[in-house]
Amino acid sequence: MSITIKDIASTLGISPSTVSRALNGHPDISEKTRKSVKDLAKKMNYQVNQMASGLRTKRSFTIGVLVPKIASHFFSSALSGIQEVAVANNYQVLICQTNESQNQERKYVKSLLSAKVDGFLISLAKGQKTITHIKAIVDNKVPLVFFDRISDSFNVPKIEAEDFKGAHRAVTHLIDTGCRKIVHLAGPDNLTASYNRMQGYKQALKDKNIPIDEKLIIPCDFDPENAKKAIHRLMGQNGDIDGIFTVNDELGVEAILTLKSMNIKVPDQVSVVGFGDFPICRIVEPNLTSIRHNPYQIGLEAAQCLFSQINHKNIDGGSRRVIPSELVVRDSSKTK
Amino acid sequence: MSITIKDIASTLGISPSTVSRALNGHPDISEKTRKSVKDLAKKMNYQVNQMASGLRTKRSFTIGVLVPKIASHFFSSALSGIQEVAVANNYQVLICQTNESQNQERKYVKSLLSAKVDGFLISLAKGQKTITHIKAIVDNKVPLVFFDRISDSFNVPKIEAEDFKGAHRAVTHLIDTGCRKIVHLAGPDNLTASYNRMQGYKQALKDKNIPIDEKLIIPCDFDPENAKKAIHRLMGQNGDIDGIFTVNDELGVEAILTLKSMNIKVPDQVSVVGFGDFPICRIVEPNLTSIRHNPYQIGLEAAQCLFSQINHKNIDGGSRRVIPSELVVRDSSKTK
DNA sequence: GCAAACACTTCAATCGTTTGAATTAACAAG
DNA sequence: CTTGTTAATTCAAACGATTGAAGTGTTTGC
């Protein structure tokens, strides 16, 4: 059906091994044969069969990426960064969406191991308890890098957003602009990213000598519906809340919309700061102050780190890279 | 390194072929051996080597998907639908982002052909002139389905959004609510989707006996910056514009933001209707009226169509499936 | 003039799985 | 006791590319 190395060999009257070496730039091959082989290959529109080549060389030129959700600003941007690096390395990317399900994640890992991917980039599904499937990757000595949703149970490189510092920065900004009673709409705290943002929130309060009120920390599990309910409840009982810091911009936007629907003025009565600097920050009215944390860069560096392992450049064990973030002040927060 | 069929065979003292047949449920194998093989395989954590198996069977259990951009609501949702179907068929998905570059697209096709994917799902990059790379797919008899960004030059199945009818519906709604001078912020007209939306716009005007003014049709190439400039220009010279229909919601949102910045009241002075029903419709103030067109469903059906080809169920040539859309009226349009 | 060095090229095995055909064993039929 | 049938298993050749080792000539050195 499709052209093979043998077809080229036989039409040229030479052996397949010579063709292979010619195409791969082996120095043993004379300039003359190399040229004729390459010319014919191009003319016949030859493409190596990656399965055959991979079987022999034990390299699939494919990496597997696991993300909880493709349709999100953070992950689709990170995927762009990953793709960029993969292309530069002549690699392909198998993208799998776990839908936050551990079971799905386990299946994908199995199937990617079977596909003999040369490496894994994983952002874990939330609610991780049993992570034996991750162990299978490590046991098979397949390179692995965690990004964003990481686990400390494994000695592999990790690329993270600047969650603690970013959150700290956000909350310090709220305090500096006069907020004293600050709510945190939090994520699932078994995710390091959410956990670290919460810690950043707490530390910022401590640093300014504001007591931490656990009742003001509301786990919302990334669901805007929960954010809405929490705000309705809190604003009813606590008239003096003057700031909200949300674990991501989706909840931040929801917070603004909910407050507006309750006729509470943002930022005059309540300031809101999100996390992520998603495009929606500039759409919501008032524009949402947020922490920019470059998901594209996170994907890019995660992929670079993976390829440095794949290419045996260096195997840095549980190294940890934190991608810097910055505060972007917009209209949802202002000095009171 | 990793467990092979031979390892199982030798520990069990049987031949590799028996192991292979046992694992694949071949009827020739006795219940007894089948069980012992399967048990041992599970115990040793055996995973077939897809490269070896694929080389022999000429099936990679992988499909390739080409999209212009991953980080967009439309495509990431479509990808979710595709993934869903792929998983159900025990397939993997190689996702490639062409970044609207034909050159990148060409490279990806080459590389996916080399990876011997069993099928292609393609949403073309804009500005298609030379599509010889697509011909290579057809020539290699690899199943292919176009979705959303389609080309009529090939006799392959196509899955589209209801572009013409949806646009027609949107513009009819504008006219019905009293708009007479309606601007269309259009996409690149070499994309069937944009082209059809423009045609829907025109037809709706015709149907209501409103003359088409070509000066009110502004190609924006999906770039919000162009939308902003166009609105500034048009609203300056044409005081009587009372409606805007945009090729997608991103431009619709930009239109609202621009009009607001010019102190033009939406919807009182100018109504705006977008296309896509992206989540941002409910964030922008006023909420954007739009056409809902279910990208998840488009991805799903495109994948289903591809798999029916892969599994030789039916090879429906240039069939065309249009996924229904619906008008979602929000606050950016109202009866004047 | 013979061996050694060199430049290419081919041979043949291999990667792990699949599969048509051959083999073996067990048993029934004549 | 031979033959035929069936069931279960093994043999061996693929699939297409890669690669160490062996094989060609040709040239160089002494």
Side-chain angles (χ1 to χ4, degrees):
Chain A
M1 185 120 177
S2 64
I3 306 294
T4 76
I5 226 173
K6 285 185 196 166
D7 299 326
I8 297 181
S10 64
T11 44
L12 243 45
I14 59 179
S15 78
S17 21
T18 305
V19 176
S20 170
R21 282 191 245 256
L23 291 171
N24 292 319
H26 190 107
D28 274 2
I29 305 299
S30 71
E31 201 45 60
K32 190 167 139 271
T33 22
R34 190 197 320 284
K35 187 170 168 7
S36 63
V37 167
K38 287 204 167 172
D39 286 355
L40 184 59
K42 178 160 269 180
K43 202 180 121 208
M44 295 176 96
N45 203 18
Y46 167 80
Q47 287 293 132
V48 304
N49 183 324
Q50 279 192 8
M51 293 173 140
S53 147
L55 176 60
R56 183 64 229 253
T57 60
K58 298 188 173 308
R59 254 200 154 186
S60 62
F61 283 93
T62 303
I63 60 169
V65 181
L66 265 60
V67 292
K69 197 172 164 212
I70 296 173
S72 84
H73 177 255
F74 181 85
F75 287 113
S76 55
S77 305
L79 285 171
S80 288
I82 291 167
Q83 185 96 19
E84 189 74 27
V85 180
V87 167
N89 282 270
N90 275 311
Y91 262 68
Q92 274 151 345
V93 185
L94 278 168
I95 297 177
C96 305
Q97 166 166 291
T98 60
N99 273 320
E100 302 282 11
S101 144
Q102 278 191 61
N103 214 27
Q104 192 61 261
E105 192 174 278
R106 206 185 327 274
K107 276 194 208 161
Y108 278 132
V109 167
K110 248 187 156 177
S111 134
L112 291 177
L113 281 175
S114 182
K116 304 288 164 191
V117 294
D118 296 340
F120 281 86
L121 287 172
I122 300 187
S123 201
L124 291 167
K126 64 188 178 192
Q128 291 296 322
K129 299 263 153 60
T130 51
I131 31 183
T132 50
H133 53 298
I134 305 294
K135 193 167 170 301
I137 299 174
V138 178
D139 288 350
N140 275 277
K141 298 203 199 315
V142 180
L144 160 63
V145 173
F146 281 126
F147 69 102
D148 189 54
R149 310 278 204 91
I150 69 177
S151 158
D152 284 319
S153 316
F154 296 94
N155 190 36
V156 300
K158 301 161 186 82
I159 315 286
E160 292 173 279
E162 201 179 42
D163 296 306
F164 179 88
K165 260 191 165 173
H168 189 280
R169 209 169 274 147
V171 176
T172 302
H173 165 71
L174 282 171
I175 300 169
D176 287 349
T177 53
C179 301
R180 285 297 170 270
K181 194 119 187 180
I182 302 170
V183 169
H184 177 39
L185 299 181
D189 64 0
N190 52 2
L191 286 183
T192 43
S194 315
Y195 178 80
N196 290 338
R197 288 175 203 176
M198 196 207 304
Q199 293 307 311
Y201 160 86
K202 288 182 176 174
Q203 190 60 48
L205 293 178
K206 267 187 212 155
D207 290 350
K208 298 281 184 176
N209 291 313
I210 299 179
I212 293 166
D213 181 351
E214 292 286 346
K215 287 195 294 297
L216 296 184
I217 301 177
I218 318 290
C220 292
D221 199 35
F222 296 146
D223 184 349
E225 223 27 65
N226 291 334
K228 182 188 261 176
K229 278 184 209 148
I231 292 175
H232 271 123
R233 186 166 53 74
L234 283 170
M235 299 308 293
Q237 54 193 217
N238 266 297
D240 51 350
I241 284 166
D242 50 11
I244 299 178
F245 166 59
T246 61
V247 68
N248 67 21
D249 285 339
E250 232 181 307
L251 298 191
V253 165
E254 187 65 33
I256 292 181
L257 297 179
T258 306
L259 290 169
K260 276 166 73 177
S261 77
M262 297 171 79
N263 276 318
I264 297 171
K265 298 272 172 272
V266 180
D268 304 271
Q269 291 173 261
V270 178
S271 286
V272 181
V273 177
F275 199 109
D277 193 38
F278 298 175
I280 48 172
C281 292
R282 271 165 305 176
I283 293 172
V284 72
E285 187 83 24
N287 287 188
L288 178 62
T289 295
S290 188
I291 300 291
R292 178 175 299 164
H293 68 158
N294 215 337
Y296 179 87
Q297 188 67 18
I298 291 176
L300 196 91
E301 295 210 18
Q304 281 170 343
C305 174
L306 182 67
F307 278 106
S308 83
Q309 279 191 77
I310 289 177
N311 301 323
H312 302 104
K313 291 218 184 74
N314 58 333
I315 301 118
D316 42 354
S319 78
R320 190 178 218 108
R321 166 93 169 97
V322 177
I323 308 298
S325 66
E326 98 194 74
L327 175 72
V328 182
V329 179
R330 299 205 180 82
D331 306 332
S332 69
S333 62
K334 74 160 191 192
T335 306
K336 297 208 159 61
Chain B
M1 183 119 180
S2 63
I3 306 293
T4 75
I5 228 172
K6 284 186 196 167
D7 299 326
I8 297 182
S10 64
T11 45
L12 244 42
I14 58 179
S15 77
S17 21
T18 304
V19 175
S20 169
R21 282 191 246 254
L23 291 171
N24 293 318
H26 190 108
D28 274 1
I29 305 299
S30 72
E31 201 44 59
K32 190 167 139 272
T33 17
R34 188 196 321 285
K35 187 170 168 9
S36 64
V37 167
K38 286 203 168 171
D39 287 354
L40 184 60
K42 178 158 271 179
K43 202 179 121 209
M44 296 177 95
N45 203 16
Y46 168 80
Q47 286 294 131
V48 303
N49 183 323
Q50 280 191 9
M51 292 172 140
S53 146
L55 175 59
R56 184 61 229 250
T57 60
K58 299 187 171 307
R59 251 199 157 188
S60 62
F61 283 92
T62 303
I63 60 169
V65 181
L66 266 63
V67 292
K69 198 172 164 211
I70 296 174
S72 86
H73 176 255
F74 181 86
F75 287 114
S76 55
S77 304
L79 286 172
S80 287
I82 291 167
Q83 185 97 14
E84 188 74 27
V85 180
V87 168
N89 283 269
N90 276 310
Y91 262 70
Q92 275 151 345
V93 185
L94 279 168
I95 298 177
C96 305
Q97 165 167 292
T98 59
N99 273 321
E100 303 282 9
S101 144
Q102 278 190 62
N103 215 27
Q104 193 60 261
E105 193 174 277
R106 207 185 326 275
K107 275 194 208 161
Y108 278 133
V109 168
K110 249 189 157 175
S111 135
L112 292 177
L113 281 174
S114 182
K116 303 289 163 190
V117 294
D118 297 340
F120 281 86
L121 286 173
I122 300 186
S123 202
L124 291 166
K126 64 190 179 191
Q128 291 297 323
K129 298 264 155 55
T130 51
I131 30 182
T132 49
H133 52 301
I134 305 294
K135 193 167 170 304
I137 299 175
V138 178
D139 288 351
N140 275 277
K141 299 204 200 314
V142 180
L144 160 61
V145 173
F146 281 126
F147 70 102
D148 189 54
R149 309 278 204 90
I150 69 177
S151 159
D152 285 320
S153 315
F154 296 94
N155 189 37
V156 300
K158 300 160 185 88
I159 315 285
E160 292 174 278
E162 202 179 41
D163 297 306
F164 179 87
K165 261 191 164 175
H168 190 278
R169 211 169 273 148
V171 176
T172 302
H173 165 73
L174 283 171
I175 300 170
D176 288 348
T177 54
C179 301
R180 286 297 170 271
K181 196 121 187 180
I182 302 170
V183 169
H184 177 39
L185 300 181
D189 63 2
N190 52 1
L191 286 183
T192 43
S194 315
Y195 179 79
N196 290 337
R197 288 175 203 177
M198 195 207 306
Q199 293 307 310
Y201 160 85
K202 288 184 177 174
Q203 190 61 47
L205 294 178
K206 265 187 214 157
D207 290 349
K208 299 280 184 177
N209 291 315
I210 300 178
I212 293 165
D213 181 352
E214 293 285 346
K215 286 195 294 298
L216 296 184
I217 301 177
I218 318 290
C220 292
D221 201 35
F222 296 145
D223 185 347
E225 225 24 67
N226 291 334
K228 183 188 260 176
K229 278 184 209 147
I231 291 174
H232 273 122
R233 186 167 50 77
L234 282 170
M235 299 308 292
Q237 56 192 215
N238 266 297
D240 50 351
I241 283 167
D242 50 13
I244 299 179
F245 167 59
T246 62
V247 68
N248 68 20
D249 285 339
E250 233 182 306
L251 298 192
V253 166
E254 187 65 34
I256 292 181
L257 297 178
T258 307
L259 290 169
K260 277 166 73 178
S261 77
M262 297 171 79
N263 275 319
I264 297 172
K265 295 275 173 268
V266 180
D268 305 270
Q269 289 172 263
V270 179
S271 287
V272 181
V273 178
F275 199 109
D277 193 37
F278 297 176
I280 47 171
C281 291
R282 273 165 303 176
I283 293 172
V284 72
E285 189 81 22
N287 286 189
L288 178 61
T289 296
S290 187
I291 300 292
R292 177 176 299 161
H293 69 159
N294 214 336
Y296 179 86
Q297 188 68 18
I298 291 176
L300 196 90
E301 296 210 18
Q304 282 170 342
C305 174
L306 181 66
F307 279 105
S308 81
Q309 279 189 78
I310 289 177
N311 301 322
H312 302 103
K313 290 221 186 70
N314 58 334
I315 303 118
D316 44 354
S319 78
R320 189 179 218 108
R321 166 96 170 96
V322 177
I323 308 297
S325 67
E326 98 194 74
L327 174 72
V328 181
V329 179
R330 298 203 182 82
D331 307 332
S332 69
S333 62
K334 74 159 191 192
T335 306
K336 296 206 161 56

